[in-house]
Amino acid sequence: MLIAFVSVGGVLVLVVLAGFCLLRASLPVVDGQYLLAGLSAPAQVEFDSRGVPRIQASTRTDAYQVLGFVTARDRLFQMDLLRRSTAGRLAEVFGPDLVETDRWNRIMGFDPLSAKIFARLPEDQQAVLKAYSAGVNAAISAFKALPFEFLALNYRPEPWRPEDCLLVVLNMAVAMSWNTETETRERTATVMRATLPPQVSTFLLPKTDVSIDRMIGGNQQAPLPVEALAELLQHSVVRAGLLSDPPPPRGSNAWVVGPSKSRSGHAILANDMHLDLSVPNLWFRAEAQYGQVHWAGLTLPGVPALISGSNGQVAWGFTGSGVDVADLLLVDIDPKRSDAYLTPEGSEAFTTRTEIIKVRGQDAVAVTVRLTRWGPELEKPLSGKPVVVRWTALDPDAVNLNYLNLDRVMTVAEAVPLFNSAGEPTLNALLADSQGNIGWTVTGRIPRRIGNDGLSPCLSSDAHCRWNGYLAGEDMPKILNPSSQVLVNANQPMNWADRALGYDSAPGSRAERINERLAALGRVDEGELLALQLDTQAGFYRYYHNLAVDALNSLGGRLNPEQQALLRYLQSWDGRAETSALGLPVIVAFRQLLMDRVFSPLLSSCQRIDPTFKYQWHLADQPLQQLVSARRPELLPDADRYATWDAFLVQVLEDSKNRVLKEQGVSAIDDLRWGQGDADPVAHPLSDALPLLSPWLDMPIVSLPGCVECVRVARLGGATERLVVSPGQENQAILHMPGGQSGHPLSPHYRDQHLAWVGGLATPLLVETIHHHLDLMPALD
């Protein structure tokens, strides 16, 4: 028995050692020499203490070939997931759980679209994509053993194609200009407009809130339609459950300050982009020098371009714009033939495309897609008609890599036309240059709509409801060198013209807080702007805090002991979203439950029209606060149970408290802290499938300060980077990000930047002390 036990133990030890050796073999070599076919001249890569590369090459194409090489060495599995996701090829490696995700991407047809986009690109952009792809493939060939994810999933990555770079670009377009919310928003608005009185749907679908109005100037809030709302309440049969709190907008913060607002007398950019947190981080840090060009900042694995950073003369960063670049269309089927649809010019036959989704461990799934002149048909009808989507991302002429030319721009004035000509995704761009200029504009193609506001679908046969091309560069919104010397965007509209380009932006509370702090700070430096990126003031929730406290105080001496404890607890909130904050957990839950119980009775007719209806609107707080603040007795929800608004509010508050206590598993209200039971996971995509390895694969689980509507965004995603840079003063610049540079768990750079990100510590943008060096030499093809 002992011999057998020792034998089994010895085998296990050998297996573990073999696995460890295989993992070690997949680590990239960081010193030495490689031959790269296609290089025009020798190139060098220097790595600093964080594993960040500084590339020195003779030409742009050489530099991007080397970037492809070093990126794939650290992030190959991430790159493969990004292209597979957009191409609809996840199920073939992950199994049936990803079939529906693949189905949507196959319906959109991104894979064949990428080839059409590539064929239309200028030759210089094609050359960069080819060079980058050659670098990626050189890295794949150089691995002694593939990264562990490929071994765990038992597949080998296919060679990287130039079109795969475009699939990654389209992946970002999905995240920023679709993100499942476009379809949901238009379906929600269509049902509401078809069911509710016009003044009610206008009231419940606002384009701005009071914070946005204060920043832009003016008051654009719809009046409270008391009579129409009261009539809806009288016929209501639904008490709750029709509200679906939308996910936070894929957003970000960015601001620029001019010379008169900085201590150094130079313009400064600050940018923290908010997307899903993952391991490895979304961005890959890099620095490159070629010819007269020297840039540093963030790249996206799979895309040869500097996404956010500085070229020494101009610095730029992005936020989600909320510009509406996709529309649903209701298809009129030709009554004479079911395989055709009506257009303004008459009947036109559908075309079809059949997609075969390979599924690991199961039979393949066939998907037949019907196509129209505008785009593909979606699977779910609307208003009893088939629905097709028209979206700029599906137009091969609306996607490009014009961002590449930002490497050579010298001023904000030069950069703005480049941003305006860039393709998907559609974003806010904020800029500063070394001469002290600052600016804001919008990137991407923006449709010119005729006969439609973009929120309710057109009929396919309606000649008066259409797109008439895209906005020309001179018509794109922009602001240059405002007298305030400050430009701030936190996903809110920047002006009334911008407001007209989309619906349902983020609330204006983050941007208003940033503006207030910049005004109070006076002249600022890089460190003070990083501190502002970490601001946890939660003024967005102050209204709900005051509402709850006032409701409890209305009871006067009738407060029972539990209500007295709740009042003390709420009064302990200091207005911030620190992890130890008292009060805020109940306030946030109170807002959510109040919104559901106030709005659901008003929307029961929408559910009768569409049983799947849910009300989602990022700016829903605006009508909610107008309605509740009015305290009209005829608008009191469930008036049969509650005599007054205060009685109703107290009950919602107590239900909210009990819900949070149950969710966090505590019995005493004083034990409820903002950071308790609500940690932000920063996880590897395989950690759920390999739970024993998750402590090794994931970043340490910590509760972070911040909230969804704080400048320091936390919960449901967060800052994937924080950058502060003054062009020409890059040696003072700050950049940090979660995780680390490498996607390899055995690399010293797998998690070595994480603590600085968690703690909000300043780390340098530029490569500093050199720790490793690669020489890359031209080789025969």
Side-chain angles (χ1 to χ4, degrees), residues 659-708:
R659 177 180 293 186
V660 178
L661 288 171
K662 182 177 180 180
E663 288 175 350
Q664 295 198 12
V666 298
S667 56
I669 192 169
D670 288 336
D671 293 332
L672 288 177
R673 299 290 195 278
W674 178 237
Q676 181 176 327
D678 194 18
D680 295 274
V682 184
H684 190 282
L686 294 188
S687 63
D688 284 343
L690 302 170
L692 293 178
L693 297 180
S694 61
W696 180 59
L697 295 176
D698 298 346
M699 294 299 109
I701 296 178
V702 294
S703 293
L704 296 172
C707 65
V708 171

Side-chain angles (χ1 to χ4, degrees), residues 175-250:
M176 298 308 301
S177 62
W178 186 275
N179 190 28
T180 74
E181 292 186 45
T182 295
E183 184 177 355
T184 300
R185 179 176 61 241
E186 292 200 22
R187 288 181 181 276
T188 295
T190 298
V191 172
M192 291 174 67
R193 285 178 164 182
T195 309
L196 304 173
Q199 64 270 40
V200 172
S201 60
T202 299
F203 175 70
L204 294 178
L205 301 172
K207 281 191 173 185
T208 67
D209 61 14
V210 291
S211 292
I212 295 171
D213 285 346
R214 280 193 293 263
M215 287 183 287
I216 295 177
N219 180 5
Q220 295 295 312
Q221 303 312 313
L224 179 67
V226 176
E227 293 183 3
L229 292 173
E231 179 72 16
L232 289 170
L233 273 180
Q234 289 180 6
H235 299 91
S236 172
V237 295
V238 175
R239 298 301 182 194
L242 292 188
L243 183 85
S244 179
D245 208 20
R250 295 298 181 100

Side-chain angles (χ1 to χ4, degrees), residues 693-738:
L693 297 180
S694 61
W696 180 59
L697 295 176
D698 298 346
M699 294 299 109
I701 296 178
V702 294
S703 293
L704 296 172
C707 65
V708 171
E709 291 303 333
C710 296
V711 177
R712 182 170 185 166
V713 169
R715 313 295 188 271
L716 305 176
T720 54
E721 53 79 34
R722 297 186 186 101
L723 168 70
V724 185
V725 57
S726 174
Q729 309 294 312
E730 285 77 14
N731 59 332
Q732 302 296 318
I734 296 167
L735 175 60
H736 65 215
M737 66 184 193

Side-chain angles (χ1 to χ4, degrees), residues 254-256 269 315-319 428-432 439-440 487-489:
W255 60 88
V256 283
L269 162 79
W316 61 90
F318 295 106
T319 71
N428 291 298
L430 285 99
L431 310 90
W440 159 84
L487 286 167
V488 175
N489 187 270

Side-chain angles (χ1 to χ4, degrees), residues 508-590:
S509 52
R510 272 187 293 128
E512 192 168 38
R513 171 63 176 173
I514 295 166
N515 274 307
E516 288 173 353
R517 290 300 301 145
L518 289 174
L521 287 170
R523 287 181 175 266
V524 294
D525 59 22
E526 286 85 349
E528 288 167 309
L529 294 187
L530 174 62
L532 179 50
Q533 291 177 328
L534 301 169
D535 183 90
T536 61
Q537 193 257 22
F540 176 81
Y541 295 103
R542 180 59 70 182
Y543 174 87
Y544 301 99
H545 170 268
N546 294 341
L547 188 68
V549 169
D550 289 346
L552 287 172
N553 281 328
S554 73
L555 298 179
R558 293 175 289 126
L559 284 169
N560 62 40
E562 287 190 359
Q563 292 169 336
Q564 291 173 1
L566 177 56
L567 179 59
R568 288 193 300 271
Y569 173 75
L570 293 174
Q571 290 174 330
S572 299
W573 184 46
D574 65 357
R576 295 187 171 274
E578 296 295 329
T579 56
S580 59
L582 295 169
L584 189 56
V586 171
I587 296 166
V588 172
F590 174 58

Side-chain angles (χ1 to χ4, degrees), residues 130-425:
K130 290 176 182 178
Y132 185 88
S133 300
V136 174
N137 290 324
I140 295 174
S141 299
F143 278 114
K144 295 178 181 178
L146 286 172
F148 86 96
E149 296 96 338
F150 296 102
L151 302 177
L153 294 169
N154 192 30
Y155 82 99
R156 183 173 182 83
E158 297 169 0
W160 192 269
R161 310 168 303 160
E163 293 85 352
D164 293 331
C165 299
L166 296 168
L167 286 174
V168 179
V169 172
L170 291 168
N171 187 284
M172 188 58 67
V174 172
M176 298 308 301
S177 62
W178 186 275
N179 190 28
T180 74
E181 292 186 45
T182 295
E183 184 177 355
T184 300
R185 179 176 61 241
E186 292 200 22
R187 288 181 181 276
T188 295
T190 298
V191 172
M192 291 174 67
R193 285 178 164 182
T195 309
L196 304 173
Q199 64 270 40
V200 172
S201 60
T202 299
F203 175 70
L204 294 178
L205 301 172
K207 281 191 173 185
T208 67
D209 61 14
V210 291
S211 292
I212 295 171
D213 285 346
R214 280 193 293 263
M215 287 183 287
I216 295 177
N219 180 5
Q220 295 295 312
Q221 303 312 313
L224 179 67
V226 176
E227 293 183 3
L229 292 173
E231 179 72 16
L232 289 170
L233 273 180
Q234 289 180 6
H235 299 91
S236 172
V237 295
V238 175
R239 298 301 182 194
L242 292 188
L243 183 85
S244 179
D245 208 20
R250 295 298 181 100
S252 305
N253 300 319
W255 60 88
V256 283
V257 297
S260 67
K261 293 290 292 181
S262 76
R263 296 185 188 278
S264 65
H266 296 89
I268 310 176
L269 162 79
N271 183 210
D272 52 296
M273 294 186 279
H274 309 151
L275 292 159
D276 293 334
L277 300 176
S278 62
V279 178
N281 183 43
L282 178 63
W283 309 113
F284 184 80
R285 298 180 58 170
E287 188 175 340
Q289 294 177 268
Y290 47 92
Q292 300 300 310
V293 172
H294 181 192
W295 57 251
L298 300 160
T299 69
L300 176 62
V303 179
L306 178 64
I307 303 299
S308 178
S310 175
N311 69 3
Q313 301 297 323
V314 180
W316 61 90
F318 295 106
T319 71
S321 68
V323 173
D324 187 1
V325 294
D327 285 345
L328 304 183
L329 287 88
L330 301 180
V331 179
D332 279 326
I333 301 296
D334 187 338
K336 298 179 181 179
R337 45 183 299 200
S338 60
D339 64 344
Y341 60 97
L342 299 180
T343 76
E345 291 77 31
S347 180
E348 188 169 312
F350 287 100
T351 58
T352 60
R353 184 183 70 241
T354 299
E355 300 278 350
I356 305 298
I357 302 173
K358 296 179 181 179
V359 184
R360 185 170 190 154
Q362 293 189 5
D363 293 338
V365 175
V367 178
T368 299
V369 185
R370 286 206 304 184
L371 302 169
T372 68
R373 60 166 66 177
W374 301 284
E377 179 184 351
L378 301 178
E379 293 187 299
K380 183 181 176 183
L382 178 61
S383 301
K385 291 182 178 292
V387 176
V388 300
V389 59
R390 181 171 190 178
W391 180 15
T392 55
L394 302 182
D395 179 356
D397 293 320
V399 183
N400 58 50
L401 283 180
N402 288 358
Y403 290 136
L404 280 171
N405 295 324
L406 289 168
D407 62 352
R408 295 181 172 90
V409 295
M410 303 294 287
T411 66
V412 166
E414 279 185 62
V416 165
L418 272 177
F419 283 113
N420 294 158
S421 70
E424 278 283 334

